Amino acid sequence: MPLDSDLDDEVGFELPAGPDLSPITLHLNPEVCGQRLDKVIAGLVPQFSRSRLQLWFEGGFVKVDGKPARGKDTAYGDETVLIEPQAAPEDTAFAPEPIALDIVHEDEDIIVINKPAGLVVHPGAGNWSGTLLNGLLHHCPQLVGVPRAGIVHRLDKDTSGLMVVGKTLAAQTDLVRQLQARSVKREYFALVWGTPQLSGTVNAAMGRHPRDRVKMAVSTGMFGKPAITHYQRVAVGSLDRRPVSLVRCSLETGRTHQIRVHMQHLGFALVGDAVYGKQHLVPVFHRQALQARRLGLVHPGSGEACEWTVPLAADFAELIAKAGIEEPGDDDSGAEA
């Protein structure tokens, strides 16, 4: 079942098949006489990009009549070309890797993981290995047969906390449907600059920032997607002689960077947020102070309501202690008195 395209934080990729790195032999014909060799070869093996072919030329992996060739060489039309394809980083991105996973719960249907800050959820540009997906494939090899290795939602690299993974296609499909129905309970703690009102709801559509495509933003245009965040102020303190508040956020939707954007939209950026916060305040903490603390869902196998809660990550707990705020207990669900 495909993931709902209306849910930005749901992951939309399939595990690709491994690349074919078998040697390729080409016999050139007189029609190409006088043309640059790299242009000729690019036309004969369109499955490979020109930039990759150039790297193979530079590495000596393209040979003409048994000798390393250069891309700028001239083709004469009677040569035999041997290409020895080399794997690119992305070709091996979906390989199992022995990565330590903090598993909160596991059964035959699901895995609930407490993701640490700094761990990327799935491979992408700049992070082709060492991701949660790689660790999942090592921990549970059967996930190679499940789309996206069972992942149904994600957390930003520098956000810590709870995630659920479906171990079978049926379990994953059920979890996706629960996310689409907005019945999965996802509760976060955030430390923000300032003192927001005791509680409230941000109902503000989101989309890509009009000028900075790396960022998200509240959007009033036709391409904005609905985004709803409920929040409660749990406690107040101070950092660097400035007021801060510990805020509990519950999501109805799952847009990319939703809590970070919505709180910044209210004027209360997250402590440590280098993307949406004020730059002179970023050094106070080394990441955005955000954790997925509680996760609730209907178990796809048993049909029972399940819920998990984890303590704040050590660095987050130290941060709020520095601010003079006591970490709430697992059963604390109310706003600041």
Side-chain angles (χ1 to χ4, degrees):
M1 175 181 179
L3 292 171
D4 188 349
S5 61
D6 195 40
L7 293 171
D8 289 349
D9 76 344
E10 315 313 334
V11 183
F13 61 85
E14 302 291 335
L15 294 183
D20 184 0
L21 300 179
S22 304
I24 300 171
T25 300
L26 304 173
H27 300 287
L28 304 189
N29 60 53
E31 295 178 1
V32 303
C33 182
Q35 298 182 35
R36 278 181 59 117
L37 186 61
D38 54 3
K39 181 179 178 180
V40 171
I41 292 177
L44 294 173
V45 287
Q47 68 270 35
F48 300 115
S49 68
R50 292 197 176 191
S51 59
R52 185 178 292 196
L53 286 172
Q54 183 59 38
L55 290 175
W56 295 345
F57 271 111
E58 294 172 357
F61 300 111
V62 180
K63 296 181 174 66
V64 173
D65 295 333
K67 297 180 180 179
R70 299 176 300 174
K72 65 180 181 180
D73 290 345
T74 300
Y76 293 99
D78 59 356
E79 304 96 327
T80 297
V81 178
L82 175 64
I83 304 173
E84 299 172 305
Q86 304 297 303
E90 58 267 32
D91 290 337
T92 56
F94 301 91
E97 295 181 42
I99 296 170
L101 301 177
D102 183 359
I103 297 176
V104 176
H105 170 85
E106 181 174 9
D107 56 42
E108 63 183 10
D109 297 301
I110 62 174
I111 308 174
V112 178
I113 294 170
N114 185 15
K115 186 190 85 69
L119 180 62
V120 175
V121 171
H122 59 86
N127 295 284
W128 293 116
S129 62
T131 71
L132 174 62
L133 183 145
N134 299 116
L136 285 169
L137 291 174
H138 182 270
H139 171 74
C140 185
Q142 75 187 60
L143 287 173
V144 73
V146 182
R148 300 166 297 276
I151 294 173
V152 294
H153 66 123
R154 66 184 173 210
L155 297 175
D156 294 337
K157 174 183 177 182
D158 290 324
T159 296
S160 53
L162 291 168
M163 292 182 60
V164 63
V165 173
K167 292 178 67 174
T168 66
L169 180 58
Q172 184 195 43
T173 300
D174 187 272
L175 292 171
V176 169
R177 286 175 174 159
Q178 291 186 53
L179 285 162
Q180 292 172 340
R182 301 183 182 180
S183 61
V184 175
K185 181 177 182 181
R186 289 178 285 179
E187 182 182 282
Y188 295 69
F189 269 176
L191 191 69
V192 303
W193 293 109
T195 311
Q197 65 184 36
L198 195 59
S199 64
T201 296
V202 184
N203 188 346
M206 289 176 53
R208 286 289 172 188
H209 193 285
R211 294 180 299 278
D212 187 346
R213 305 303 293 175
V214 175
K215 298 171 65 174
M216 305 298 292
V218 166
S219 173
T220 57
M222 62 182 295
F223 297 110
K225 296 181 180 180
I228 301 173
T229 303
H230 305 286
Y231 69 90
Q232 292 180 313
R233 193 181 73 220
V234 176
V236 295
S238 64
L239 283 173
D240 199 27
R241 299 182 180 180
R242 294 178 173 86
V244 294
S245 301
L246 184 64
V247 177
R248 175 185 290 105
C249 297
S250 298
L251 299 182
E252 278 197 31
T253 55
R255 305 298 167 216
T256 300
H257 301 172
Q258 180 172 318
I259 291 173
R260 299 163 66 186
V261 170
H262 273 177
M263 295 311 297
Q264 187 271 340
H265 178 66
L266 293 179
F268 305 104
L270 271 62
V271 173
D273 194 333
V275 176
Y276 301 101
K278 295 182 179 180
Q279 293 304 305
H280 69 285
L281 297 177
V282 169
V284 172
F285 194 48
H286 62 279
R287 66 176 177 99
Q288 65 261 11
L290 182 63
Q291 173 159 325
R293 180 173 179 262
R294 183 170 294 167
L295 176 67
L297 51 86
V298 174
H299 193 284
S302 67
E304 297 178 357
C306 300
E307 185 172 287
W308 299 271
T309 303
V310 291
L312 290 180
D315 60 347
F316 199 158
E318 291 173 5
L319 179 67
I320 66 169
K322 183 179 178 181
I325 298 174
E326 183 178 349
E327 180 175 351
D330 291 351
D331 59 349
D332 179 32
S333 59
E336 175 190 0

